[in-house]
Amino acid sequence: MVYADLLTYHKRAKRYSALPLYMIAGAKRLINFLGLCVQNLIRSIKYLFQVRFSAVLSQAAAISYDSLPISLIIAFIAAAVIAIQVSKQFLMSGAEAYIGGTIAVVMIREIAPGFVALAIGARAGTAISAEIANMQVTSQVDAMKTLKVDPVGYYFTPRILAAVLTVPMVVLIAEFIGIAGGMLVSQATIDLHPARYMNSAWLWISTRDIYISLLKASIFGGLISLVCATQGYETRGGAKEVGTSTTQAAILSTIYMLSLIHISEPTRLRCI
């Protein structure tokens, strides 16, 4: 019994001691994959003015329009939760006049761009990865190379361009829905008059915050499309690998997006 316990402890210690090595290896894979994304981005930019408008339009519908319902639902729920948590606390301190402005600023600066990007990454990003991965494992990509067509320009450019142009539109709608949802919840919880709520929101909102929000949405959209398309393009194997690649695409797009948020946030705060 004692020997078995010692053996178990030894295995655990060996596994835990190898944890830093696994973390280093994972960081190297993330950096290498980021390099592949940059290479594909540079190649796709070359075909920016050669892409078909119909291809961009169809990808815009698949990426943003089809993701609109889930994005708006998430924005509404997020604003409702914030309003529930904030309203009673502000009411107790006599600051209920600031509820609308607080919710509006939070939604515009952080919640709407981040949550909408996560929703689009989970829905449209995984679809992009699965589609390109399936083309890769069924040799459709090799067939395009045989026809002297660059797969990166054909697959990547329409998706990246569509996401960059249309994700900010989804974010803008989500911001309005979130602010309206916060107003409804505030009225239902503490009977805050909509006029006071909207007056506070109008006074706190600045055009600079809206511009930054739309810029973040555009960058997040392009990043999600690029990462998911690259993950699908690097897939090798069969049907099992397509499913694994789709899961990894969702994870990688989330990691890179959150990393970009943490990197850019100190810079934005210094500019305020």
Side-chain angles (χ1 to χ4, degrees):
M1 185 67 181
V2 175
Y3 176 75
D5 292 340
L6 290 175
L7 185 61
T8 302
Y9 293 148
H10 175 71
K11 290 181 179 179
R12 290 181 179 177
K14 187 177 180 180
R15 184 167 65 249
Y16 293 150
S17 63
L19 184 60
L21 298 179
Y22 291 145
M23 295 177 64
I24 294 174
K28 288 183 178 179
R29 286 195 293 269
L30 288 174
I31 294 174
N32 291 334
F33 185 81
L34 182 61
L36 291 175
C37 292
V38 174
Q39 292 177 3
N40 291 331
L41 177 62
I42 294 174
R43 288 175 60 184
S44 62
I45 290 176
K46 297 178 182 178
Y47 300 92
L48 187 61
F49 298 102
Q50 302 177 18
V51 66
R52 294 176 301 166
F53 177 75
S54 59
V56 177
L57 194 61
S58 62
Q59 292 302 322
I63 293 172
S64 297
Y65 181 77
D66 292 345
S67 302
L68 190 60
I70 184 63
S71 300
L72 298 185
I73 290 172
I74 291 175
F76 181 87
I77 293 175
V81 171
I82 295 173
I84 291 172
Q85 297 297 324
V86 167
S87 298
K88 294 183 180 180
Q89 301 298 326
F90 276 35
L91 182 63
M92 292 172 60
S93 60
E96 64 273 12
Y98 302 115
I99 294 175
T102 301
I103 296 175
V105 169
V106 170
M107 286 298 302
I108 292 175
R109 288 184 180 179
E110 302 296 339
I111 299 298
F115 279 26
V116 168
L118 288 174
I120 292 177
R123 189 203 170 280
T126 53
I128 292 173
S129 178
E131 182 181 3
I132 297 179
N134 184 61
M135 294 178 181
Q136 184 69 265
V137 300
T138 55
S139 301
Q140 296 182 44
V141 174
D142 295 333
M144 294 196 65
K145 293 179 181 178
T146 305
L147 296 174
K148 303 298 183 181
V149 177
D150 189 355
V152 173
Y154 188 83
Y155 292 130
F156 283 56
T157 306
R159 290 166 172 82
I160 295 174
L161 185 59
V164 168
L165 295 177
T166 58
V167 171
M169 302 178 188
V170 180
V171 169
L172 189 61
I173 299 173
E175 290 170 356
F176 284 114
I177 295 297
I179 294 173
M183 180 184 67
L184 295 176
V185 174
S186 299
Q187 185 180 15
T189 52
I190 63 171
D191 197 23
L192 180 65
H193 196 279
R196 296 187 64 187
Y197 179 95
M198 293 306 299
N199 182 60
S200 173
W202 183 258
L203 291 175
W204 283 39
I205 293 175
S206 66
T207 54
R208 183 175 181 273
D209 289 335
I210 297 175
Y211 292 151
I212 293 176
S213 173
L214 298 180
L215 177 61
K216 289 170 65 175
S218 182
I219 294 174
F220 290 161
L223 179 66
I224 290 170
S225 297
L226 176 63
V227 170
C228 294
T230 301
Q231 178 61 38
Y233 189 72
E234 296 299 320
T235 303
R236 300 294 185 275
K240 180 181 178 181
E241 284 71 19
V242 172
T244 303
S245 177
T246 303
T247 304
Q248 291 177 351
I251 296 172
L252 288 172
S253 61
T254 302
I255 291 174
Y256 287 122
M257 194 192 76
L258 294 178
S259 300
L260 182 61
I261 291 175
H262 287 292
I263 292 173
S264 62
E265 192 64 21
T267 304
R268 190 185 69 83
L269 291 175
R270 284 196 298 267
C271 295
I272 295 179

